[in-house]
Amino acid sequence: MEYFSTRGGPHNLSFEEAVLAGLAPNGGLYIPTTIPKLPNNWKTDWKDYSFVDLSVAILSLYISREEVSESELRDLVVKSYVSFRHPEITPLKKLGARKYILELWHGPTWAFKDVALQLLGNLFEFFLSRKNAKAGSSVEKLTVIGATSGDTGSAAIYGLRNKKNISIFILHPKGRVSPIQEAQMTTVTDPNVHNLAVKGTFDDCQDIVKTLFSDTDFNAKHNLGAVNSINWARILTQTVYYFSAYFQARRLLGLSADQEIDLQFVVPTGNFGDILAGYYAKKMGLPMEGKLGVATNSNDILARFWKTGRYEKVDSSNVVEVSKDSSGVKETLSPAMDILVSSNFERLMWYLAYEGIPDGTPDRREKAGGTINDWMAKLKIDGRVEVPIEVLEAGRRDFCAERVSDEETLETIKNLYLDPSPYVVDPHTAVGLTAAKRMEQDISTSTIQIVLSTAHPAKFSEAVTKALYDIANFNFEAHVLPEEFKGLLSKERRIIEVESANVELVKKVIESKL
Ligand SMILES: *Cc1c(COP(=O)(O)O)cnc(C)c1O
């Protein structure tokens, strides 16, 4: 299997090259040359597979054996999931007769990003050691740099801590991430992990990281690597839990081999990585009767796209709406989904553009790349792009979308706690549940909804407390906070303070630690 950029170009990359590169030099994202079909007997052969077995089976369809052997892949996968606290890795829980929740937060940082970042860290280390074993005297190292407003940082740190020949630098805005998130990041004291608390905003941190990546000298000197959600390995890894959910649902319902199951997945969405994995699963052949449900908070660029066919940063039909900061991102109770544009959406747009070009057209792939280039240029210059109606209709065949407000999010957390038995969800999951409820009217009565639960509620104490504070006997520490979190705030920390949001200062810190 090979990979190419959504913005075109004649060269295909191996899996290793695509994973190490992250973003393509022309700004595009890597996608596989074909979406592989599932083996004929997958439903019977895979039905009792563990999460590790499923990962090996699915990843093998996208990674050539010559690149990574089956036993090497198995070792990497096993190593990635030993730290998870649940034997199913991503357990499916029943919430109601036709409603299930897929808990994706049993990894080390209690959020779904662990599922992919644990494996990505191991892949980086594996590829580097192999290169170094071949290279002889010169040792290749990787310097991972990222900015975080909270969640990604800790999952990346836990994925890369203690990895050979890899250093990780995570910039966060000083004092502007939640106490638990800050503690999760800064109490990792492995020598290869560096937390930079920058006096400034999240946008300042992100700008610094962008500047460092575009600094060709600095980049070449330190071999910079990215762990953000555009990395293909993250999307690929996340397809596994859609299959896991399918088999778990069949087992919970006690279905016989000849009975099919009608599923709809609903996904709290920010950068469109998690739900895109569901799209790949569907295209591979995982049965999904219901459309994939995109659930957004009031940063609703995606919900607006499915309504209008316009992908635009600011809602042009509602210009009176004011945002809280100059970048246009609104602060919500589900901060991991506070985005202006969704980076992985470009991958879906490529497939939609490709489908719009008649079968058999010469250079169809290049033409789709050209279309993406045009759209992305428009988005950059005008802040918006409108796709042709056929493209929108193609998008509507596989997806539906709903926007959810903070008030509704709180209401859902509360209602779920009160009925039927106390179950506490985090605000992102609550956005998904609220959207799922609205989507019920468009699915058949036999369809079962699976809502992806992206974080443990203890990570977002502000929203959870706000939703539940007036319920008699509710106690956050007793009912929500896991034992593992209790000692975290008092553990030893390692932080490097950066006095101002200045690229040169950050460079100095990085170079002093390498
Ligand atoms: C990152 C994140 C999301 C959004 O996932 P995307 O892949 O960016 O769409 C949702 N919920 C939580 C808790 C997250 O950390």
Side-chain angles (χ1 to χ4, degrees):
M1 177 67 79
E2 290 186 316
Y3 296 85
F4 65 97
S5 164
T6 48
R7 297 194 194 176
H11 298 297
N12 288 349
L13 269 64
S14 66
F15 176 73
E16 171 174 351
E17 288 165 335
V19 170
L20 290 178
L23 195 70
N26 61 13
L29 310 188
Y30 290 113
I31 54 175
T33 46
T34 56
I35 299 180
K37 290 278 169 262
L38 297 168
N40 279 336
N41 299 322
W42 71 276
K43 276 187 199 171
T44 40
D45 291 354
W46 295 2
K47 78 177 167 40
D48 298 316
Y49 271 14
S50 66
F51 191 88
V52 165
D53 296 333
L54 269 182
S55 300
V56 174
I58 293 162
L59 269 54
S60 295
L61 301 172
Y62 288 89
I63 308 170
S64 313
R65 281 272 179 269
E66 299 80 55
E67 270 197 77
V68 185
S69 75
E70 182 167 357
S71 70
E72 286 167 334
L73 182 60
R74 181 168 288 275
D75 287 349
L76 291 167
V77 172
V78 167
K79 213 160 70 172
S80 301
Y81 299 117
V82 283
S83 58
F84 280 61
R85 296 171 303 273
H86 196 287
E88 295 276 10
I89 309 299
T90 59
L92 189 71
K93 286 240 167 87
K94 186 169 181 167
L95 277 194
R98 290 166 51 214
K99 183 124 2 178
Y100 287 75
I101 206 158
L102 186 65
E103 292 181 348
L104 301 176
W105 39 258
H106 292 275
T109 74
W110 304 76
F112 93 95
K113 292 187 173 70
D114 285 330
V115 179
L117 281 165
Q118 284 294 311
L119 186 66
L120 184 64
N122 286 318
L123 283 169
F124 277 163
E125 185 180 54
F126 172 79
F127 289 139
L128 270 185
S129 346
R130 187 163 68 183
K131 278 188 175 186
N132 286 332
K134 276 186 206 148
S137 59
S138 78
V139 176
E140 189 168 325
K141 295 185 179 176
L142 188 70
T143 306
V144 170
I145 303 182
T148 188
S149 55
D151 245 20
T152 314
S154 56
I157 286 169
Y158 274 81
L160 291 173
R161 68 188 296 183
N162 210 7
K163 295 276 181 269
K164 213 172 147 192
N165 293 320
I166 302 176
S167 300
I168 175 164
F169 294 84
I170 294 292
L171 282 64
H172 71 263
K174 186 177 181 221
R176 298 194 191 203
V177 297
S178 82
I180 281 288
Q181 288 174 330
E182 190 185 310
Q184 279 189 318
M185 291 192 283
T186 58
T187 55
V188 178
T189 53
D190 302 61
N192 74 326
V193 173
H194 309 282
N195 278 288
L196 279 64
V198 178
K199 266 201 188 139
T201 63
F202 169 62
D203 282 336
D204 294 334
C205 295
Q206 210 161 22
D207 285 345
I208 293 174
V209 171
K210 276 188 201 150
T211 310
L212 292 176
F213 273 92
S214 57
D215 181 333
T216 29
D217 290 343
F218 189 80
N219 198 334
K221 193 166 158 203
H222 300 298
N223 193 25
L224 300 191
V227 286
N228 46 11
S229 73
I230 49 94
N231 197 299
W232 166 251
R234 288 185 61 179
I235 309 294
L236 176 57
T237 308
Q238 290 169 178
T239 60
V240 176
Y241 46 70
Y242 287 87
F243 286 87
S244 169
Y246 170 82
F247 286 115
Q248 288 186 67
R250 295 189 61 100
R251 283 197 289 274
L252 290 174
L253 289 161
L255 297 187
S256 63
D258 55 355
Q259 283 174 294
E260 199 39 273
I261 181 172
D262 296 338
L263 293 180
Q264 175 178 48
F265 288 94
V266 182
V267 187
T269 296
N271 270 325
F272 206 73
D274 208 2
I275 195 165
L276 183 72
Y279 177 76
Y280 279 102
K282 184 175 189 180
K283 293 286 160 188
M284 287 162 78
L286 184 70
M288 281 182 207
E289 208 260 345
K291 295 176 183 184
L292 281 154
V294 178
T296 79
N297 62 25
S298 47
N299 294 289
D300 61 347
I301 182 167
L302 291 169
R304 284 185 279 115
F305 171 79
W306 264 282
K307 224 182 251 167
T308 63
R310 284 194 302 274
Y311 191 62
E312 55 185 0
K313 294 181 184 176
V314 180
D315 185 355
S316 62
S317 64
N318 183 19
V319 282
V320 290
E321 201 165 330
V322 238
S323 60
K324 282 199 184 148
D325 65 60
S326 58
S327 67
V329 181
K330 293 176 199 124
E331 265 180 52
T332 71
L333 292 172
S334 41
M337 298 170 7
D338 289 351
I339 45 90
L340 200 58
V341 294
S342 298
S343 44
N344 274 296
F345 190 58
E346 180 168 338
R347 286 189 164 109
L348 176 67
M349 286 180 118
W350 188 90
Y351 289 102
L352 299 181
Y354 185 81
E355 278 171 33
I357 302 166
D359 219 353
T361 307
D363 302 321
R364 190 173 169 194
R365 185 177 116 181
E366 272 307 301
K367 288 205 166 79
T371 305
I372 294 300
N373 262 313
D374 292 346
W375 287 348
M376 290 302 144
K378 278 207 184 90
L379 182 67
K380 194 167 177 182
I381 296 161
D382 306 334
R384 88 174 54 142
V385 54
E386 179 155 8
V387 303
I389 183 70
E390 314 83 71
V391 170
L392 176 60
E393 277 165 4
R396 283 176 177 162
R397 278 197 284 277
D398 289 315
F399 293 89
C400 57
E402 290 288 343
R403 159 201 163 121
V404 175
S405 69
D406 273 356
E407 295 70 40
E408 293 168 309
T409 305
L410 294 174
E411 217 175 279
T412 296
I413 296 174
K414 188 168 180 176
N415 290 341
L416 191 66
Y417 184 77
L418 293 172
D419 174 55
S421 57
Y423 181 78
V424 183
V425 289
D426 94 290
H428 304 81
T429 307
V431 167
L433 282 163
T434 315
K437 180 112 193 105
R438 271 189 241 148
M439 290 166 187
E440 276 172 10
Q441 63 188 54
D442 296 322
I443 55 176
S444 75
T445 49
S446 59
T447 301
I448 286 168
Q449 290 183 315
I450 297 181
V451 177
L452 271 53
S453 177
T454 50
H456 188 278
K459 290 202 80 165
F460 298 94
S461 57
E462 185 200 339
V464 171
T465 311
K466 211 168 173 176
L468 301 177
Y469 75 97
D470 63 347
I471 293 178
N473 300 327
F474 173 74
N475 180 308
F476 186 82
E477 293 224 341
H479 299 135
V480 182
L481 205 64
E483 266 318 303
E484 288 88 337
F485 277 35
K486 291 183 182 161
L488 200 62
L489 292 170
S490 55
K491 267 173 90 177
E492 182 201 343
R493 300 182 185 210
R494 217 157 56 84
I495 310 176
I496 304 161
E497 309 243 344
V498 181
E499 278 312 306
S500 70
N502 175 301
V503 179
E504 293 308 316
L505 276 180
V506 171
K507 268 190 185 173
K508 235 188 231 161
V509 169
I510 292 173
E511 296 201 308
S512 74
K513 297 292 170 189
L514 286 174

